[in-house]
């Protein structure tokens, strides 16, 4: 039975963590992340990876959210308000009327590499939250076991990245791992075959052997992966038109992850 | 030699077509589209598909744009202003300081199907400009000859769609073709093998024969392609994880177009 708490004042301290959720500066919320919409909230409540701080729902959405409310752990408050209060607190119109806060994991020191067959995605310098969310979504669709990010990547638990990932950012094991060289060292130690995607690589995707343990590295659009990574790893190219060899990093990941996917068809 | 015209007043009628370019309502601009950024502008100036109305550049960008200016056809005005005037006219900050207007094609009645080997993309109900731009970008990367859109698709010449397409929307032959049934009829008349992408299809992508003439159909995320299209065509499925079978339509197009691509590797 969900613990419903009606909010009748914008300045109720109970909902202070929901103030101005649109702002990029999440000062004071570093331990929390914002999940929005029923699809994302469903992943948050079912994946079990993150503890749930609270929910904040529009009162006229309640009737349609019975399935979701049944999954809310005991003791987690579900704040309910009308549209005026919700939009005022959030700082912009929350059209779908479904918000939640979750706790970030802390103290993570080692990525969880599975034994045996495994597919890992490594990201270097991905600074755009849309791309980050799409990369996570594609990774989830093709059975990626873990995502490693170098220290220059943006935050996959930023609100928009979570939304674009359709919740995959809350589900897939992921870890920021210092400089990219550290990422390579860890993958080597775990016996991964490391492919660095690059338009200038000699090896074309279809000819790349599907090894038992594969790590696929993607760099930022424009810059691509740094030269030292390209020289230390096997390059991999996606064949494209000579006069328009331009692919978004998320599109490139979809194609390459699909090739190496672990999923049954 | 580009025809530079310095603008010193926000209300100069010469730049009236650039007013409030961010607004979705392009009332009064129906015959024109807005191109922004050097990459897109370069496609506009080199593809030759659309006549150029004018350019509108930030004065401190001029020195770095010599290559671009050399491609501007004789007689096309290049308006130049400082940042205050440009942002005021455009209605929002034009960070990169590079805008242009082009003329839409009019009176198009038949898509240009090439003879022989051909790859066509058909879109049904794509209503999101980001997705539309990404679909065009992927189509250009994999050698698509023409794009057909049903009447419920959004405008690929909307400013943001053009930008996300990295100019592909200004380059690839495309046409809105009435209801989807009309699209199917035209493709059949041109002897295309028509594949409708759908998560519920029996045929998996890798097993789909690469026919001489292939048309790939994509529907909107969520709804997918309408049932009558799925029953009239060959279904095609992209293998995904059982517990996260969710792929953005642009990502799906990247994978499927890559499989059927006409480009040399």
């Amino acid at each position: 039975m969900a613990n419903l708490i009606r909010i009748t004042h914008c300045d109720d301290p109970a909902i202070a963590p929901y103030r101005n959720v649109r702002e990029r500066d999440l000062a004071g919320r570093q331990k929390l992340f914002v999940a929005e919409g029923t699809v994302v909230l469903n992943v948050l409540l079912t994946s079990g990876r993150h503890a749930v701080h609270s929910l904040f729902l529009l009162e006229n959405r309640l009737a349609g959210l019975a399935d979701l409310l049944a999954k809310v752990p005991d003791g987690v408050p579900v704040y309910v308000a009308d549209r005026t209060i919700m939009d005022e607190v959030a700082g912009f119109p929350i059209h779908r009327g479904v918000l939640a806060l979750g706790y970030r994991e802390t103290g993570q020191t080692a990525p969880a590499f599975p034994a045996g067959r495994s597919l890992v995605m490594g990201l270097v310098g991905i600074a755009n939250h849309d791309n980050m969310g799409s990369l996570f979504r594609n990774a989830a669709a093709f059975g990626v076991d873990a995502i490693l990010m170098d220290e220059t990547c943006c935050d996959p638990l930023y609100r928009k990245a979570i939304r674009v990932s359709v919740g995959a950012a809350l589900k897939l094991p992921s870890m920021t791992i210092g400089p990219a060289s550290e990422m390579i060292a860890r993958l080597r130690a775990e016996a991964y075959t490391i492919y660095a995607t690059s338009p200038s690589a000699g090896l074309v995707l279809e000819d790349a052997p599907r090894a038992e343990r594969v790590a696929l590295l993607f760099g930022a659009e424009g810059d691509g992966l740094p030269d030292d990574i390209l020289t230390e790893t096997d390059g991999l190219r996606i064949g494209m038109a000579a006069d328009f060899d331009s692919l978004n990093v998320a599109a490139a990941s979809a194609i390459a992850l699909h090739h190496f996917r672990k999923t049954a068809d």
Side-chain angles (χ1 to χ4, degrees), chain A:
Chain A
M1 187 64 199
N3 177 24
L4 298 185
I5 301 166
R6 188 156 303 272
I7 302 294
T8 54
H9 294 288
C10 292
D11 51 2
D12 189 323
I15 49 163
Y18 287 93
R19 282 218 167 274
N20 300 318
V21 294
R22 195 179 202 171
E23 287 177 17
R24 292 177 72 105
D25 168 22
L26 296 176
R29 272 202 286 268
Q30 282 92 343
K31 291 177 184 168
L32 297 173
F33 60 83
V34 182
E36 59 181 328
T38 54
V39 174
V40 167
L41 202 53
N42 191 54
V43 177
L44 174 64
L45 292 170
T46 53
S47 86
R49 184 173 154 205
H50 298 276
V52 183
H53 172 280
S54 60
L55 277 65
F56 187 17
L57 307 175
L58 197 61
E59 60 186 2
N60 67 16
R61 292 294 313 271
L62 273 184
L65 296 175
D67 288 353
L68 209 66
L69 288 171
K71 296 174 186 165
V72 176
D74 286 342
V76 170
V78 178
Y79 303 114
V80 180
D82 65 20
R83 182 167 293 285
T84 310
I85 289 178
M86 189 169 204
D87 290 354
E88 169 71 23
V89 169
F92 74 112
I94 305 291
H95 297 293
R96 293 182 268 178
V98 175
L99 290 175
L101 295 175
Y103 289 100
R104 291 166 180 272
E105 295 163 321
T106 51
Q108 209 185 354
T109 55
F113 294 116
R117 192 178 171 206
S118 172
L119 179 59
V120 164
M121 180 166 77
L123 305 178
V124 178
I126 303 295
N128 176 292
H129 289 112
D130 276 290
N131 284 339
M132 185 60 88
S134 297
L135 285 158
F136 269 76
R137 182 176 180 178
N138 294 341
F142 297 119
V144 162
D145 296 301
I147 297 175
L148 303 182
M149 293 165 284
D150 86 322
E151 59 202 358
T152 68
C153 282
C154 67
D155 180 9
L157 294 186
Y158 178 66
R159 185 178 59 88
K160 196 177 179 194
I162 294 175
R163 194 183 66 204
V164 172
S165 81
V166 200
L170 303 182
K171 185 183 156 139
L172 280 181
S174 65
M175 191 184 164
T176 301
I177 202 168
S181 56
E182 169 71 11
M183 185 190 297
I184 304 286
R186 297 254 198 143
L187 290 166
R188 284 215 195 293
E190 297 282 338
Y192 280 89
T193 297
I194 308 171
Y195 290 117
T197 55
S198 167
S200 60
L203 182 66
V204 74
L205 180 66
E206 301 83 277
D207 298 334
R210 289 187 180 77
E212 179 82 354
R213 294 167 75 75
V214 169
L216 280 172
L217 306 188
F218 299 96
E221 232 172 307
D223 293 341
L225 287 164
D227 285 343
D228 57 335
I229 290 187
L230 294 178
T231 54
E232 279 175 40
T233 57
D234 292 323
L236 196 62
R237 180 167 56 85
I238 295 168
M240 275 180 265
D243 64 339
F244 203 94
D245 57 342
S246 166
L247 209 54
N248 168 273
V249 62
S253 79
I255 295 165
L257 291 170
H258 175 260
H259 177 78
F260 288 105
R261 73 189 178 282
K262 277 178 51 195
T263 59
D265 286 334

